[in-house]
Amino acid sequence: MPKVTDEYRQARRDEIIEVAIGCFLTRGYGHTSIADLVAASGLSAGAIYGNFPGGRDEIFVAAATRILDSRRLDLEMARREGPLSPADIMTTLITGIRSEAIGPILPQLWGEAVVQPDILVLVNGVFAQLRSTIHDAVADWAHAHPDRIDGDPDEWAHRVTPVILSTAPGYILQQAVMPDFDGDAYLAALREVLPH
């Protein structure tokens, strides 16, 4: 039997993630089953579980992690010119999130996390990574602009990061549930609210 390469395995995982995102968008996260993924992908349940033993929840976290990794890369590239302000950090991240199809599904996952401890653990892991990424970027800016903050740069970054982080879920939630939500105006207003 030929050995499965890492590239092939990753391509299959990516295929499953893309199919799952499509199902989550049309059926909703809570109403999508492995049977739905089998029907949409043409793969067997064994192929899906072979790549994602944790099933639907693991697939969703893999999709969220992939998006987070892409956003981290966006942020790293933007930071090459120097420290980004908190407004620029969040504008960079939210602009990237806007381009992802998965955005409208996130509030569904957060709702599940409130009532399902195993999903809460997975969601906390993704948020912890995002918080760490934002914290590091905010701390860099605070060290470069100590005259713009109150107190020690590291302590300031620690205090304000949860507030700064909340602008991304705020964007995602409003985009998902408010038909008249103006994403461009939201991004413009970030520069009025956050240090820049």
Side-chain angles (χ1 to χ4, degrees), residues 91-158:
T91 298
T92 299
L93 290 174
I94 292 171
T95 298
I97 290 169
R98 287 176 87 174
S99 68
E100 302 283 355
I102 201 169
I105 304 162
L106 291 171
Q108 297 174 48
L109 182 68
W110 300 336
E112 294 293 322
V114 171
V115 296
Q116 295 191 44
D118 54 331
I119 296 177
L120 179 60
V121 169
L122 299 173
V123 170
N124 270 333
V126 173
F127 265 103
Q129 292 175 23
L130 183 57
R131 183 175 57 224
S132 176
T133 298
I134 293 170
H135 174 274
D136 292 347
V138 168
D140 284 350
W141 181 84
H143 280 282
H145 301 280
D147 57 314
R148 305 276 315 274
I149 64 165
D150 183 21
D152 175 76
D154 292 318
E155 291 175 6
W156 183 84
H158 180 74

Side-chain angles (χ1 to χ4, degrees), residues 16-185:
I16 293 168
I17 288 170
E18 292 303 323
V19 167
I21 289 171
C23 289
F24 295 153
L25 285 169
T26 57
R27 299 182 53 82
Y29 178 76
H31 297 288
T32 298
S33 66
I34 293 297
D36 295 323
L37 300 181
V38 167
S41 68
L43 299 172
S44 68
I48 292 173
Y49 280 114
N51 284 281
F52 295 98
R56 177 185 70 162
D57 299 341
E58 185 179 345
I59 295 168
F60 192 88
V61 170
T65 300
R66 186 176 70 181
I67 290 167
L68 177 58
D69 288 343
S70 295
R71 303 296 65 86
R72 278 186 185 156
L73 182 60
D74 291 346
L75 201 53
E76 285 174 18
M77 291 178 67
R79 289 171 68 192
R80 288 182 180 167
E81 301 294 320
L84 296 176
S85 71
D88 289 334
I89 292 165
M90 295 315 298
T91 298
T92 299
L93 290 174
I94 292 171
T95 298
I97 290 169
R98 287 176 87 174
S99 68
E100 302 283 355
I102 201 169
I105 304 162
L106 291 171
Q108 297 174 48
L109 182 68
W110 300 336
E112 294 293 322
V114 171
V115 296
Q116 295 191 44
D118 54 331
I119 296 177
L120 179 60
V121 169
L122 299 173
V123 170
N124 270 333
V126 173
F127 265 103
Q129 292 175 23
L130 183 57
R131 183 175 57 224
S132 176
T133 298
I134 293 170
H135 174 274
D136 292 347
V138 168
D140 284 350
W141 181 84
H143 280 282
H145 301 280
D147 57 314
R148 305 276 315 274
I149 64 165
D150 183 21
D152 175 76
D154 292 318
E155 291 175 6
W156 183 84
H158 180 74
R159 280 195 319 270
V160 303
T161 293
V163 177
I164 293 170
L165 168 61
S166 71
T167 62
Y171 178 94
I172 292 165
L173 182 60
Q174 291 181 75
Q175 182 186 41
V177 301
M178 299 177 71
D180 62 345
F181 178 66
D182 185 340
D184 293 331

Side-chain angles (χ1 to χ4, degrees), residues 3-10:
K3 183 180 177 188
V4 174
T5 65
D6 289 341
E7 293 80 14
Y8 176 84
R9 184 177 303 279
Q10 188 58 53

